[in-house]
Structures are given as C-alpha cells and as structure tokens.
Amino acid sequence: MRHSGKARKAAYRLILIALIVPFVILAVGAFVLPKGSLGLVIFGVFAAVWLIFALFTLYFFRDPDARVPAGANLVLAPGHGKVDAIGTVTEPAFMGGECQRVSIFLSVFDVHVQNAPVSGRVAYLKYTPGQFLNALKAESAVHNE
C-alpha cells in the first residue's frame, strides 16, 4: 500500500521551516549585522548551509518505486538497509512465544520509507517508550523507542 507521498511532504515541511526561521533571524539581525561586504558574506554562508540542508533533506526523504520480483509467497525486505541480525526472540504479547527476528540497520544514506513485506492487515500495534541509543549498538533494538 502506498503512503501517498508522505515522505516528500515531510521533507517539504522541514525545508519550509528551515527557510522561515533563518529569514526571521536575518530580518531581526539586519539591525545588528554589519552593513556591506561582511553582512553579505554572513548571508552567503547562511544561504549555502541552508541549501546543503535542503538538498540533504530531499535526498533523505526520497521514496523510489520498489523493484518487486514476481512470484507467489515471497517475503520482501521492508527497508533499504543492511541486515545486521537474524535470530530467535521471545515475544509474549502478540506472538505468544518464540519467533524469528530480522533486524535491518538504516544509515542516513539509505531510503527510510518502509514498505509492507507481505500483504495483509495490521493485527497488533504497540508503542513502547524508550531511549535513543546509537543504532549501531545491539542493545538499541531492545531499549530504543
């Protein structure tokens, strides 16, 4: 199921906010910033940093069409990352015991839009508050939000 371009909308929203805030700061700072070439240099650096941020934001929130292989009973990866752990875990709340867990690590350069790996419906959803540990550490899978 497609998500109707939500990733691109989120990127545009971030870019707009990142554009409004600096211009408000610059408008207020117009009375404080030095006039002449130094003020132009400061504005140029500010504009360059914003442009780099905007381009990275569009890159980060990209949503390419998935190349799905043809065939019956296939399970596809939901994300564009690197499989970093496959193992058995105990999940008492929904699965009622042991189940297979496949962990996929996404770097900032991977596509962060997740797709459904199989057709079906959501039968269980649970929000678990947690920490914000480095995703490269194995314990982040258990303790992170």
Side-chain angles (χ1 to χ4, degrees):
M1 178 168 146
R2 294 293 295 175
H3 36 74
S4 358
K6 288 184 180 179
R8 185 58 52 122
K9 289 177 186 174
Y12 289 150
R13 196 172 326 126
L14 276 173
I15 290 170
L16 180 63
I17 291 168
L19 182 62
I20 292 171
V21 170
F23 275 107
V24 168
I25 292 170
L26 285 174
V28 171
F31 301 106
V32 181
L33 283 176
K35 306 293 184 225
S37 62
L38 184 60
L40 258 137
V41 169
I42 292 171
F43 182 79
V45 169
F46 218 67
V49 168
W50 179 84
L51 182 63
I52 291 168
F53 169 79
L55 291 174
F56 178 77
T57 301
L58 288 173
Y59 176 77
F60 184 83
F61 285 99
R62 69 196 183 281
D63 184 12
D65 289 329
R67 291 177 280 156
V68 179
N73 300 323
L74 296 176
V75 177
L76 304 173
H80 299 237
K82 178 183 175 188
V83 174
D84 65 352
I86 299 175
T88 304
V89 295
T90 302
E91 202 294 310
F94 179 70
M95 299 301 289
E98 285 191 349
C99 58
Q100 290 292 313
R101 177 176 158 247
V102 179
S103 175
I104 301 173
F105 174 75
L106 301 173
S107 76
V108 293
F109 301 108
D110 289 318
V111 175
H112 277 66
V113 173
Q114 303 296 299
N115 297 300
V118 294
S119 61
R121 64 180 180 81
V122 176
Y124 180 75
L125 179 66
K126 177 185 173 189
Y127 170 74
T128 306
Q131 301 174 0
F132 296 93
L133 301 174
N134 185 341
L136 293 172
K137 297 181 179 181
E139 65 266 14
S140 68
V142 177
H143 301 294
N144 274 4
E145 186 166 309

